[in-house]
Amino acid sequence: MNGDAYELGPIDYLLIEWTDRQPTGEAVPHLIDLVDRGLIRILDLAFIAKGEDGSVAALELADVAGEVEAFAAFEGAASGLVSDEDIAEAGAALASGTSAALLVYENRWAAPLANALRNSGAQLVASGRIPVENVLTALDAAEA
């Protein structure tokens, strides 16, 4: 592993689905802000459509963006990590007639901690994410 790769932070992905329409670009400034502040680095951004017949297709950015110029900031965001098999697997998780974005990103904010842990001989044993809805439900229950 070369020095640059060793400095990587944790890599995560998000599969975000839009029903009955394509993304509007409303979230793009927030995503760009995370990149500009050095919190994340976008490794791959792929757009996917799932037809009513269940067929899955990768979309070109121009097919998604249409008139939404904000998406131009992501032109060329492809490290090669996302394969055709990944697109097919992501598509299997989608409802028919939807479009989606598959975002693979590095948590740059965590890179120094991850590097220090690796240097100390630590290894990641488990990782997960708690859905916001679950947290809100638990907080409501605690207040009741």
Side-chain angles (χ1 to χ4, degrees), residues 20-69:
D20 300 326
R21 61 178 175 215
Q22 291 187 343
T24 63
E26 182 178 346
V28 170
H30 300 287
L31 189 56
I32 290 172
D33 180 57
L34 293 172
V35 171
D36 288 347
R37 291 190 293 145
L39 298 175
I40 67 168
R41 176 172 55 158
I42 296 173
L43 301 175
D44 279 286
L45 179 60
F47 291 94
I48 305 165
K50 186 167 185 176
E52 292 295 340
D53 63 355
S55 62
V56 175
L59 300 174
E60 295 296 322
L61 186 59
D63 296 333
V64 175
E67 299 298 316
V68 183
E69 292 180 16

Side-chain angles (χ1 to χ4, degrees), residues 13-140:
Y13 74 91
L14 298 173
L15 180 60
I16 304 157
E17 179 183 71
W18 287 271
T19 56
D20 300 326
R21 61 178 175 215
Q22 291 187 343
T24 63
E26 182 178 346
V28 170
H30 300 287
L31 189 56
I32 290 172
D33 180 57
L34 293 172
V35 171
D36 288 347
R37 291 190 293 145
L39 298 175
I40 67 168
R41 176 172 55 158
I42 296 173
L43 301 175
D44 279 286
L45 179 60
F47 291 94
I48 305 165
K50 186 167 185 176
E52 292 295 340
D53 63 355
S55 62
V56 175
L59 300 174
E60 295 296 322
L61 186 59
D63 296 333
V64 175
E67 299 298 316
V68 183
E69 292 180 16
F71 285 99
F74 301 113
E75 188 69 45
S79 69
L81 287 175
V82 175
S83 67
D84 291 340
E85 292 80 22
D86 295 324
I87 296 292
E89 186 176 338
L94 301 174
S96 295
T98 61
S99 62
L102 177 58
L103 176 66
V104 179
Y105 61 97
E106 173 194 4
N107 291 286
R108 295 196 65 152
W109 60 269
L113 173 61
N115 188 43
L117 290 168
R118 283 189 294 267
N119 286 339
S120 72
Q123 64 181 359
L124 181 63
V125 177
S127 180
R129 181 155 286 140
I130 301 170
V132 172
E133 294 80 13
N134 295 13
V135 173
L136 294 174
T137 299
L139 290 173
D140 288 344

